[in-house]
Amino acid sequence: MEMFVDILVAVLLIAGCLMSLIAGIGLLTFPDMLTRMHAATKPQVLGFLLIFTGLAIHLRSWAVVPVLFLAWGMQLLTAPVSAHMIGRSGYRTKHAAKDSLYADELKQIVDKTSSAPPTGTFDATSGATGKSED
């Protein structure tokens, strides 16, 4: 039984490390921002889950499991959200290859907000806005 657990831990750790390696290779080799962003988030979160699962089985302590679960949960929450924000800012600053998109669902929203009239500027020294008062 001890040998089976050791083999399971080794398989989980190696698989998790391979997922993290795949994420790193994807960051270096993919051609545009959106595919690099995908490579940075998806396999990395799964790799962390596999590594943390292998670590929890190896340590065999229930005191470690909530800490590992919290660390993985924070990674699960922050990686996709940060990638989403990077993707939106990259789209707006023209760093995304829009010709390679299958469906451009963000185009309508960006066009609507960019065609809105400016709201005016605020002069911090005098406290006045750039709007003309009628």
Side-chain angles (χ1 to χ4, degrees):
M1 185 68 179
E2 185 73 25
M3 187 173 155
F4 173 74
V5 171
D6 288 343
I7 291 173
L8 178 65
V9 167
V11 167
L12 287 172
L13 290 176
I14 290 171
C17 291
L18 285 175
M19 293 301 285
S20 296
L21 178 67
I22 289 169
I25 292 171
L27 280 173
L28 295 174
T29 59
F30 282 157
D32 64 337
M33 181 201 60
L34 297 175
T35 54
R36 286 181 186 157
M37 196 175 54
H38 180 78
T41 56
K42 304 299 181 196
Q44 187 67 28
V45 173
L46 178 61
F48 276 167
L49 176 65
L50 294 173
I51 290 171
F52 288 163
T53 304
L55 189 60
I57 293 170
H58 177 69
L59 294 176
R60 296 184 189 157
S61 172
W62 284 104
V64 176
V65 172
V67 175
L68 294 175
F69 187 74
L70 180 66
W72 179 71
M74 292 304 291
Q75 180 71 24
L76 182 68
L77 291 175
T78 57
V81 172
S82 63
H84 176 76
M85 298 309 294
I86 290 170
R88 285 182 70 101
S89 65
Y91 183 91
R92 288 175 184 249
T93 58
K94 313 287 190 271
H95 284 92
K98 294 177 186 170
D99 55 337
S100 66
L101 296 176
Y102 178 73
D104 193 357
E105 297 167 354
L106 193 57
K107 183 174 177 16
Q108 294 173 352
I109 296 168
V110 170
D111 288 345
K112 182 179 177 183
T113 57
S114 63
S115 66
T119 58
T121 59
F122 181 74
D123 185 9
T125 57
S126 67
T129 61
K131 292 182 180 179
S132 62
E133 297 190 18
D134 295 325

